[in-house]
Amino acid sequence: MTIPIKNPDEQNKMRIAGRLAADALDMIEEFVQPGISTAELDRICHDFITNEQGAIPAPLNYRGFPKSICTSINHVVCHGIPGDRVLKTGDSLNIDITVIKDGFHGDTSRMFFAGKPSVIAKRLSDVAYESMWLGIEQLCHGKYLGDVGHAIQSYAEKNRFSVVREFCGHGIGRYFHEDPQVLHYGKAGTGIELKSGMTLTIEPMINSGKSDIKILPDGWTVVTKDHGLSAQWEHTVLITDDGYEVLTLGKNHR
Ligand code: MF3
Ligand code: CO
Ligand code: CO
């Protein structure tokens, strides 16, 4: 396994791609309301990314994925395909946006709610968010990927939620998914040693019930087996000598 180390010029390109992905999420926020379909959200994002940003929506045609963003509602864990489904009051929705600019990828996702969420949906989203940050805060030259997984898993499970095992974070750069795999569970001090110049995503998928998932016959949509709610947040992050730099910060989100 070779993990690409980005030189300063490549790091700058990653900063730009990350900024654009975060800007697209900032842009779409006001459109997430009861009554809009996920296909409309996809079209608005596609047009913004291609026309306003002069960037490429990475999911479109990626391994056959048919749309430009992923929209994952309620019990959908990830990789939901935008379509005719219309948002209802109380739905929770993850929007996952990846753009390619100047040959480099920026990948980020957030949770949104159509109207007012249930108490459990809000709490699950908050725990997923906090677990992502606890994972990110582990990142530093010389630390281990197991430190990240351990921080995420212990926080999620302390809150009596479960961590999805089948999907993970990843290296990112010239390719959408590079080495290493970033597991959202594990044992502190184990696994690959982090080096400054690596760029990774941290994107824990946290379920309200059991961690088990299945993939729908469309070959993409990942759902919880028990149909419990699932939540996910994602940032693209650069490892530095003394910590990390988050490349996909939003205007109103850390
Ligand atoms: N953006 C997702 C990730 O965080 C990957 C989506 S692959 C797609 O890794 F094909 F579904 F877009
Ligand atoms: Co990702
Ligand atoms: Co993503």
Side-chain angles (χ1 to χ4, degrees):
M1 173 164 62
T2 48
I3 301 175
I5 300 294
K6 278 76 182 181
N7 67 33
D9 177 57
E10 294 168 326
Q11 292 175 18
N12 264 329
K13 290 178 172 160
M14 288 297 294
R15 284 187 187 95
I16 291 165
R19 160 64 38 224
L20 294 180
D23 286 349
L25 282 178
D26 286 345
M27 179 281 302
I28 201 63
E29 180 163 21
E30 65 175 299
F31 295 96
V32 181
Q33 300 289 347
I36 196 164
S37 71
T38 52
E40 290 173 277
L41 294 171
D42 176 73
R43 185 192 51 78
I44 296 164
C45 288
H46 177 93
D47 291 351
F48 182 78
I49 292 164
T50 55
N51 300 334
E52 311 277 320
Q53 298 187 322
I56 299 166
L60 188 59
N61 302 318
Y62 177 77
R63 298 175 187 246
F65 192 80
K67 295 287 184 179
S68 296
I69 63 173
C70 296
T71 50
S72 302
I73 301 175
N74 297 339
H75 71 291
V76 179
V77 174
C78 63
H79 302 169
I81 303 173
D84 296 335
R85 170 70 153 83
V86 169
L87 296 184
K88 301 188 294 282
T89 299
D91 280 337
S92 54
L93 169 72
N94 174 280
I95 301 181
D96 192 338
I97 293 188
T98 311
V99 305
I100 310 169
K101 182 72 173 183
D102 208 1
F104 285 82
H105 291 71
D107 186 8
T108 181
S109 82
R110 296 180 200 154
M111 296 302 293
F112 299 88
F113 303 107
K116 190 171 149 52
S118 67
V119 170
I120 180 73
K122 176 74 169 85
R123 200 168 78 80
L124 180 66
S125 170
D126 288 349
V127 168
Y129 181 75
E130 207 49 46
S131 75
M132 172 189 69
W133 275 104
L134 289 167
I136 289 171
E137 284 161 4
Q138 294 298 316
L139 298 169
C140 185
H141 181 91
K143 296 219 31 188
Y144 294 86
L145 275 183
D147 299 332
V148 175
H150 177 74
I152 292 167
Q153 179 181 19
S154 47
Y155 184 75
E157 292 181 353
K158 193 169 73 192
N159 283 279
R160 311 233 206 145
F161 294 138
S162 64
V163 177
V164 171
R165 302 293 206 269
E166 288 83 350
F167 296 88
C168 55
H170 48 93
I172 181 167
R174 289 188 185 277
Y175 297 93
F176 198 159
H177 297 105
E178 300 181 346
D179 284 333
Q181 295 197 28
V182 181
L183 302 183
H184 301 118
Y185 57 92
K187 196 165 164 319
T190 66
I192 282 160
E193 189 178 339
L194 299 170
K195 297 268 188 291
S196 80
M198 291 179 179
T199 44
L200 311 171
T201 73
I202 308 294
E203 50 178 303
M205 285 140 276
I206 308 297
N207 294 351
S208 63
K210 292 215 170 81
S211 65
D212 307 70
I213 58 103
K214 62 183 185 188
I215 301 180
L216 296 187
D218 62 24
W220 282 105
T221 311
V222 180
V223 299
T224 57
K225 239 187 202 164
D226 63 10
H227 277 212
L229 291 174
S230 190
Q232 178 178 29
W233 291 77
E234 175 176 23
H235 274 310
T236 296
V237 185
L238 168 70
I239 313 294
T240 63
D241 289 339
D242 52 5
Y244 59 85
E245 180 181 334
V246 179
L247 305 181
T248 45
L249 291 175
K251 292 209 164 55
N252 305 309
H253 297 260
R254 63 176 176 118

